[in-house]
Amino acid sequence: MAETKREIERKYAADDSGLPDLTGVAGVAAVLDQGVAELDATYYDTPDLRLAAASITLRRRTGGSDAGWHLKLPVSPGVRDEIRAPLSGTLPPALAALVRSRVRDGEPVPVVRLRSARDVRHLVDADGALLAEVSLDTVRAERLSGGSGTAQWTEIEVELADGGDPAFLDRVDKRLRKAGVRPAKSPSKLARALAETDPGPLDADAGAGSAGKESSGKEGPGGAGSGKGGGKKGSSGGHVTAGAYVLAYLREQRDAIVALDPAVRQEVPDAVHSMRVATRRTRSAFRSYAKVLDRAVTDPVGAELKWLAGELGVDRDREVLTAHLTAALDDLPATLVAGPVHDRLHSWARERHGGSRRHLIGVLDSRRYLNLLDALDALLADPPLRRAAAAKPAKVAAKAVRKDVRKLSVLVEQALWLPPGQERDVALHEARKRAKRTRYAAEAAEPALGAPARKLVKSVKSVQKVLGEHQDSVMARTTLGELAAVAHAAGESAFTYGVLYGREEHRAALSEAALPERWEKVRRTTAV
């Protein structure tokens, strides 16, 4: 069974002088010697080092108090989530699943062996509570694949105790710097081992799946280099093109999808929503920038992105709907709650969650999903650039955004002309989907267009919000109708479901009434 631990630590270069005296650190009452532990760790990666390129480490370690398999996922500088599994001869399935979006069909192989003599000290407060663990590590590195070199060094590692205040590390840092100790240049032991045991540097800009094999600076209609900003100069000295601009945006979305995969599997809050947004932004960019990228190539990938977004939406939409209905029910006076409404709603939510959760994991483990990730990598490695890819980003982005705004205008105006009812509900939902696409197009254009694009994003987001509230009401009423039918069949009162249904109708009416004013703000916005 895997368990997750938030690891907050700092690393420092060390010399023969050993560990400085830390008894003077504010809050430290004692420094307790824990002895020396002999650690033997084998690090695994793909032959092209995809995990290391993403600052992910996967190891099997013996010795010490936490022997076993460890997967470390970056959270922020100096902060990682460490997922641990018991010691075994093969990679545990739970950890294999968490790296599948990067490993794909590959098999992680041993790349580096690190043997360390770890001299450990515990910093404790006046009550004996652990504040941090400080270790002086003497490391011997041996390359197992992709090279044959060895390296040796000594470093100091300071790891905050579980639940500790990160500010404490600042106090330790101040003391170490005063003693002449400086931060390590490498973010991890693995990174240093790879750098010092192989003359070929690790490609820090490697793609999530292609591990650096894609040509981000491909010559062609889009020109050389990648970057953002209309008319700004790229690293090659030439002007950044629309092709390079759009590809840079698409790489960001591809990287987000791949990076969010383990978070979705671990049910990290908002991970499903964020991954769904990244798929939508990618698909939106394919459509909005059809003058830059050939849709004959991007449309099949876009269709698969639509499938993935739909699968992600099953769980996400259920989460949002459950939260809304629960809050609406809690807001009712007790006199309006008849029957076991809370229990029935919670049972419905649990049943839906269990089934949708298993289905989503199946999707992420599917061949279809992995093929989609491969297709994204292939498209970015060999982009189907069209003639407009050579133009300036601002010019192309402005045209793309204007086109999306015009299409949104048609849908909103059509919906406003329809009388209230199912046909209008459907039209408003279509307008909502177009509003999202327009907003994504404007967001992608912000670096090139600046303030006008930001202003448009704000006004379109306001329209999207009111349309989203309307659609949420439509979905809530559908669910309430289903729950009421089940309750009635069980001999329970359906009164409360009717009350909630009426409130949802009122909510929808308010959203429809607010739309004209919100839309007028978009019309007045001079975006480009």
Side-chain angles (χ1 to χ4, degrees):
M1 182 99 180
E3 61 173 327
T4 301
K5 177 182 181 296
R6 177 60 56 89
E7 180 183 81
I8 303 176
E9 65 180 16
R10 299 186 187 181
K11 295 180 181 292
Y12 300 85
D15 53 28
D16 295 336
S17 60
L19 187 66
D21 180 16
L22 298 175
T23 54
V25 176
V28 175
V31 179
L32 307 180
D33 189 342
Q34 302 298 302
V36 178
E38 296 293 335
L39 309 178
D40 191 342
T42 299
Y43 287 77
Y44 289 74
D45 206 333
T46 59
D48 51 4
L49 302 178
R50 299 178 192 179
L51 300 183
S55 300
I56 294 172
T57 60
L58 174 63
R59 74 186 179 201
R60 180 186 184 275
R61 191 169 75 182
T62 58
S65 60
D66 62 345
W69 286 89
H70 305 151
L71 172 65
K72 297 189 179 186
L73 303 172
V75 176
S76 59
V79 181
R80 296 186 291 183
D81 278 341
E82 181 178 275
I83 300 93
R84 299 175 176 177
L87 195 63
S88 62
T90 58
L91 177 62
L95 299 192
L98 295 177
V99 297
R100 186 163 292 128
S101 65
R102 297 187 186 277
V103 173
R104 312 284 170 82
D105 290 326
E107 186 73 23
V109 298
V111 292
V112 167
R113 182 183 184 187
L114 296 182
R115 284 171 286 184
S116 306
R118 169 163 288 184
D119 190 359
V120 181
R121 304 285 191 278
H122 281 180
L123 308 184
V124 299
D125 63 15
D127 296 325
L130 181 65
L131 297 171
E133 179 178 285
V134 182
S135 64
L136 181 66
D137 296 344
T138 301
V139 185
R140 290 166 292 160
E142 176 188 1
R143 191 64 171 259
L144 302 178
S145 64
S148 58
T150 61
Q152 184 169 330
W153 70 89
T154 303
E155 69 179 36
I156 295 171
E157 184 176 292
V158 184
E159 181 176 346
L160 188 68
D162 293 347
D165 182 2
F168 177 72
L169 294 183
D170 292 334
R171 298 199 291 270
V172 176
D173 179 83
K174 183 177 180 180
R175 177 68 184 86
L176 290 173
R177 288 176 182 268
K178 188 175 181 179
V181 176
R182 293 294 176 261
K185 294 181 179 179
S186 296
S188 68
K189 290 183 176 65
L190 175 61
R192 180 166 182 173
L194 290 172
E196 295 190 11
T197 60
D198 185 3
L202 179 65
D203 185 359
D205 296 323
S210 58
K213 292 183 179 180
E214 69 183 44
S215 176
S216 60
K218 175 179 177 173
E219 294 291 343
S226 64
K228 295 183 178 181
K232 293 183 179 180
K233 290 187 177 181
S235 59
S236 63
H239 287 285
V240 172
T241 63
Y245 180 92
V246 173
L247 289 173
Y249 177 79
L250 290 173
R251 285 191 191 94
E252 290 178 4
Q253 308 314 315
R254 185 276 313 274
D255 291 350
I257 293 171
V258 172
L260 285 164
D261 179 292
V264 170
R265 293 174 185 271
Q266 294 178 289
E267 295 192 81
V268 174
D270 210 42
V272 169
H273 173 65
S274 297
M275 189 175 186
R276 192 183 187 191
V277 168
T279 64
R280 285 174 165 172
R281 282 176 171 160
T282 304
R283 185 164 171 256
S284 174
F286 286 162
R287 290 181 165 186
S288 296
Y289 294 98
K291 296 292 186 181
V292 173
L293 297 172
D294 187 353
R295 287 193 61 172
V297 176
T298 63
D299 275 358
V301 181
E304 291 302 281
L305 287 166
K306 181 179 181 180
W307 161 76
L308 179 58
E311 298 291 357
L312 292 167
V314 172
D315 207 39
R316 170 63 181 176
D317 292 343
R318 189 269 319 159
E319 289 178 357
V320 173
L321 182 56
T322 298
H324 172 69
L325 290 177
T326 300
L329 182 58
D330 291 342
D331 192 48
L332 286 182
T335 54
L336 296 181
V337 180
V341 184
H342 282 94
D343 291 342
R344 188 162 294 285
L345 176 58
H346 293 158
S347 295
W348 172 84
R350 284 195 300 272
E351 292 170 2
R352 294 295 182 93
H353 176 66
S356 61
R357 182 69 197 162
R358 288 189 296 273
H359 178 74
L360 179 55
I361 295 301
V363 167
L364 297 182
D365 287 337
S366 71
R367 166 48 47 199
R368 184 175 182 178
Y369 169 67
L370 296 180
N371 285 344
L372 168 58
L373 297 183
D374 287 342
L376 283 171
D377 288 342
L379 188 149
L380 291 169
D382 187 19
L385 298 173
R386 301 184 65 194
R387 185 177 299 275
K392 293 182 179 180
K395 180 179 179 180
V396 173
K399 286 184 177 180
V401 172
R402 280 198 297 264
K403 183 178 180 180
D404 280 336
V405 170
R406 286 196 299 269
K407 290 183 176 180
L408 173 60
S409 177
V410 171
L411 291 177
V412 172
E413 297 293 346
Q414 287 177 345
L416 290 175
W417 275 102
L418 290 170
Q422 184 176 4
E423 188 178 358
R424 190 182 208 194
D425 289 345
V426 172
L428 289 171
H429 182 46
E430 291 301 315
R432 178 199 181 202
K433 291 190 291 185
R434 175 60 66 171
K436 283 186 179 181
R437 177 174 158 184
T438 303
R439 172 189 155 200
Y440 294 151
E443 287 175 343
E446 279 189 44
L449 303 179
R454 286 193 293 273
K455 186 176 180 181
L456 180 61
V457 168
K458 183 177 180 180
S459 59
V460 173
K461 190 174 182 178
S462 178
V463 169
Q464 180 188 328
K465 181 179 179 181
V466 75
L467 290 172
E469 290 171 351
H470 183 275
Q471 178 61 15
D472 289 347
S473 172
V474 172
M475 297 304 296
R477 279 177 278 159
T478 299
T479 300
L480 288 169
E482 295 172 354
L483 290 173
V486 173
H488 179 73
E492 301 166 5
S493 172
F495 171 77
T496 302
Y497 303 103
V499 172
L500 292 172
Y501 192 99
R503 291 194 170 196
E504 290 300 330
E505 285 186 318
H506 180 63
R507 180 187 178 199
L510 291 177
S511 297
E512 292 182 26
L515 179 58
E517 182 180 353
R518 302 278 183 96
W519 176 242
E520 185 59 31
K521 290 182 179 180
V522 174
R523 289 166 57 90
R524 292 198 303 263
T525 299
T526 304
V528 290

